[in-house]
Amino acid sequence: MPGAADGLQQLHDSITGWFAETARDLPWRDPSCSPWGVLVSEIMLQQTPVVRVLPVWHEWLERWPTPAGLAGEPAGEAVRAWGRLGYPRRALRLHAAAAAIVSEHAGKVPDTYPELLALPGVGSYTAAAVAAFAYGRRETVVDTNIRRVQARLVAGSALPAPALTAAEMRLAASLLPDDDATSVRWNAAVMELGALVCTARVPKCPACPVKDSCAWLAAGEPPPSYVPKGQAWHGTDRQVRGAVVAVLRLAEAPVPAEMFHHAPADLGFAPEGIGVPLAALHRLNPPPEQLERSLAGLLADGLAELHDGGYRLPA
């Protein structure tokens, strides 16, 4: 990794030049995309692949083209429209952020890092990303992809540390171009490099525009110092919670608790409507205590509420 100013400039040119030629055509990268559209994309893209986000993002922006549109509807509608993106608490946070944008910023997504960070559910990464990609601010944007590129390119490590460190933030800040426009392109380019080329499991090193400067390649591609732990799904409370939310999304009235606990009689024909996600939940056959724990967790997280003796999405 070149350390001199001319070497850093070469690094910037190589990666941003590669990005200019190969970047995916994503709607939130379009100059006409509103800051609200960028914010929605950043929340949706957390732990969710682009291919799953794209159709839901389009549906959201068509239905709620402004924060005021979303804020004017019940929080449960945000959860309903979230579909199968997973981690539906993000829908509640986005609804809360929309309400705050309306009440505190006259319906306009704020354009500075501190104001963005003050929005409900917006963390340091999202605040920096929206400031950079929606408003062209020079901000240090560090996501999982950027961390991985930095680890290999500069530190010579196969993977970054399990959790973000202050040293990684300092490194990212030291690599950031000085002018606003180039810094925005750099952030997007390094992120794209990590997503498409410098991937976690099978990096496509021959296609990398900076392979000749990569400390990890120069070191002989040493293996990771730890084994990343994937998040379990089958049999977990998360799976059961997701199955319950799928029922509530289709329900037009509160769903009695016994419908979650006991499968209806087999009438000899395929279920329809709410019966489809209910059947999927019952096929999981969760223990009663796990189902109760999952329902209680949804209530505690604000993803469901009790009404007329049944469960429904929040009003």
Side-chain angles (χ1 to χ4, degrees), residues 110-251:
D111 62 355
T112 66
Y113 176 87
E115 290 177 308
L116 286 161
L117 189 60
L119 294 176
V122 173
S124 57
Y125 162 77
T126 303
V130 175
F133 302 140
Y135 292 109
R137 305 286 190 193
R138 184 180 183 273
E139 296 287 351
T140 305
V141 179
V142 181
D143 77 337
T144 301
N145 290 311
I146 289 177
R147 293 180 64 215
R148 188 167 55 254
V149 171
Q150 288 185 170
R152 290 173 179 163
L153 181 63
V154 181
S157 301
L159 294 173
L164 179 64
T165 66
E168 287 178 286
M169 291 300 297
R170 289 193 296 270
L171 174 59
S174 72
L175 296 175
L176 197 64
D178 291 332
D179 69 282
D180 291 353
T182 308
S183 73
V184 172
R185 288 195 299 274
W186 167 258
N187 282 324
V190 180
M191 194 179 300
E192 189 82 336
L193 186 64
L196 299 183
V197 175
C198 196
T199 54
R201 294 185 179 180
V202 187
K204 304 174 181 64
C205 297
C208 179
V210 288
K211 57 182 179 294
D212 293 339
S213 302
C214 180
W216 182 61
L217 284 178
E221 304 177 36
S225 59
Y226 65 95
V227 178
K229 293 183 179 179
Q231 289 188 317
W233 173 250
H234 293 290
T236 64
D237 287 4
R238 278 186 57 227
Q239 186 183 27
V240 175
R241 282 165 56 106
V244 171
V245 171
V247 174
L248 300 182
R249 285 180 53 236
L250 288 184

Side-chain angles (χ1 to χ4, degrees), residues 265-287:
D266 185 0
L267 300 178
F269 51 83
E272 55 183 284
I274 191 177
V276 176
L278 266 176
L281 171 63
H282 294 139
R283 282 195 297 272
L284 297 178
N285 196 27

Side-chain angles (χ1 to χ4, degrees), residues 6 44 63 98 131 166 181 225 269 273 276 313:
D6 57 346
M44 287 185 172
R63 179 173 178 179
S225 59
F269 51 83
V276 176
L313 293 179

Side-chain angles (χ1 to χ4, degrees), residues 43-50 52-53 84-87 90:
I43 298 295
M44 287 185 172
L45 287 164
Q46 294 168 9
Q47 299 178 284
T48 308
V50 166
R52 289 177 57 197
V53 167
R84 300 179 62 84
L85 288 182
Y87 303 97
R90 292 180 293 166

